[in-house]
Amino acid sequence: MAVLRAMGRTLGKLTGRAPARLVKDYDDPELPVVREAAAAADWDLVQQMLLGRAENDGRSRLIWAVADTAGVERWIPKVIEAEPEAALPRVVGGFRQISWGWEARTSARAKDVSRKQFETFHARLAIGEDWLFEAAELAPDWVAPWHGLLTTGRALQVGQTVAHRRFEAATRRDPHHFGVHTSHLQQVCEKWGGSHEAMHGFARTAALKAPAGTWLGGLVADAHIEQWLQLERGADDAYIMRPEVKASLNEAADHSYRHPDFDPEGPGVDVLNSFAMAFSLTESPEEAREAFAATEGRVTESPWHYMDGSDPVGAYKRMRSAAGR
């Protein structure tokens, strides 16, 4: 896989444009391995792989891979029972309850979700909350339990005050954790009881308070895309074309992917795709071309699925061509 990626990048340099491809598992070779271990109920290997990574965004990606694996809910309770003083099984169990809960609810609009689905959703999340709180007590320095509690709290509608306390607990442990910040960005969105003003204020503050080269600059692009999505046709383009929107994107880009310390791997590819779409929407071809070039043809499902849910790569390619890249 690494050889194929290198060939693709070399071709891109020769042709001026890298072939577009959908990024799977952040190109992280350990994600499919840990997923296979989880499917086989191989707790020893799952535990070894999770503990083999620093307790940060890198471990979070592995945790989510396990959590999204069908069947984990059948064997992880036995591990939790067998290891009463262990935090990691409770973290894994808590995150699995989140994923399993959403499987029951589905991504349908609330009006299209049955009462039975909601009951199952909330019941699974409540179990997840219990395990995550237990994990937080057993491993007080870990950010992962609080990352999970941000997600359960939003779904269980604990409110902005409680959610903010959970966010503060998470950032005391890891001040610039990308997953924690993207989760809280959703919390302060208008659709989850926040507001556009709160969302933009949070995104800008988080980005500019972080060290230069931060992934958190992507929050600013995501916030503008979020507001654009929530507006009616006509109002959406009027909003995204405002000069102050482009200015805020440039401010965030300067502090993020334009800085030499920016890491384009892992969540970095998400950040680059968000900026590419946001600058495309503002009809800023020079900035959009720069962001597209930085992606090196690596396409993430989000945010392009908002334009074409069945073909995010196609949406990326159309916008890249429109920018003249």
Side-chain angles (χ1 to χ4, degrees):
M1 182 63 73
V3 173
L4 291 175
R5 290 200 299 272
M7 289 175 61
R9 292 176 183 179
T10 299
L11 178 61
K13 291 176 181 178
L14 293 174
T15 63
R17 186 169 72 174
R21 65 176 181 85
L22 188 65
V23 173
K24 297 289 188 180
D25 292 331
Y26 289 103
D27 289 336
D28 183 337
E30 291 194 356
L31 264 65
V33 176
V34 79
R35 193 178 290 115
E36 288 178 10
D42 187 347
W43 173 242
D44 288 341
L45 181 54
V46 169
Q47 179 175 231
Q48 177 185 335
M49 294 185 70
L50 295 182
L51 294 179
R53 287 198 175 184
E55 213 274 318
N56 55 24
D57 276 298
R59 184 184 291 179
S60 293
R61 292 196 293 275
L62 291 182
I63 291 171
W64 276 118
V66 174
D68 289 339
T69 303
V72 170
E73 72 281 356
R74 292 195 293 271
W75 59 262
I76 196 64
K78 299 173 185 176
V79 180
I80 291 172
E81 184 178 0
E83 301 184 23
E85 301 301 318
L88 191 60
R90 287 158 176 79
V91 169
V92 170
F95 274 76
R96 175 54 189 158
Q97 291 296 126
I98 295 170
S99 184
W100 196 34
W102 278 100
E103 287 174 22
R105 186 205 179 280
T106 75
S107 59
R109 293 178 178 272
K111 65 182 181 65
D112 298 320
V113 179
S114 70
R115 180 176 178 178
K116 178 62 176 177
Q117 284 176 289
F118 270 121
E119 289 175 350
T120 303
F121 177 53
H122 291 147
R124 291 175 181 175
L125 291 178
I127 293 171
E129 282 233 321
D130 288 344
W131 284 339
L132 290 165
F133 274 122
E134 289 175 10
E137 292 182 2
L138 291 166
D141 294 334
W142 284 9
V143 66
W146 295 103
H147 183 188
L149 287 165
L150 281 169
T151 308
T152 57
R154 183 169 67 251
L156 292 172
Q157 299 181 318
V158 299
Q160 296 296 328
T161 300
V162 173
H164 186 68
R165 289 175 186 159
R166 294 182 181 191
F167 173 73
E168 288 183 325
T171 53
R172 280 197 298 272
R173 291 156 175 83
D174 188 341
H176 310 301
H177 192 287
F178 185 73
V180 163
H181 281 80
T182 54
S183 181
H184 197 59
L185 182 69
Q186 286 296 306
Q187 178 68 61
V188 298
C189 286
E190 186 176 74
K191 65 187 178 186
W192 286 105
S195 66
H196 293 321
E197 293 75 18
M199 173 182 66
H200 291 299
F202 169 74
R204 182 175 186 273
T205 299
L208 297 184
K209 283 179 64 178
T214 179
W215 289 332
L216 298 185
L219 298 174
V220 174
D222 288 338
H224 286 305
I225 292 170
E226 172 68 24
Q227 184 165 350
W228 174 77
L229 287 168
Q230 296 305 312
L231 294 171
E232 298 293 331
R233 185 178 295 274
D236 53 359
D237 289 339
Y239 164 75
I240 206 73
M241 295 294 291
R242 292 177 186 172
E244 58 266 31
V245 171
K246 181 177 177 180
S248 74
L249 287 169
N250 274 306
E251 178 185 47
D254 287 343
H255 195 65
S256 181
Y257 75 90
R258 289 174 181 159
H259 192 275
D261 289 340
F262 179 77
D263 181 1
E265 303 303 322
V269 71
D270 289 318
V271 173
L272 293 169
N273 276 265
S274 290
F275 272 110
M277 178 167 163
F279 276 126
S280 294
L281 292 172
T282 64
E283 296 186 6
S284 304
E286 182 177 348
E287 290 88 345
R289 285 195 297 270
E290 175 192 47
F292 277 116
T295 68
E296 298 184 318
R298 297 172 300 157
V299 184
T300 52
E301 184 174 354
S302 180
W304 302 107
H305 69 288
Y306 292 125
M307 291 188 159
D308 190 335
S310 63
D311 186 12
V313 174
Y316 168 97
K317 291 168 68 175
R318 289 191 293 275
M319 295 296 276
R320 185 173 67 173
S321 294
R325 176 65 190 172

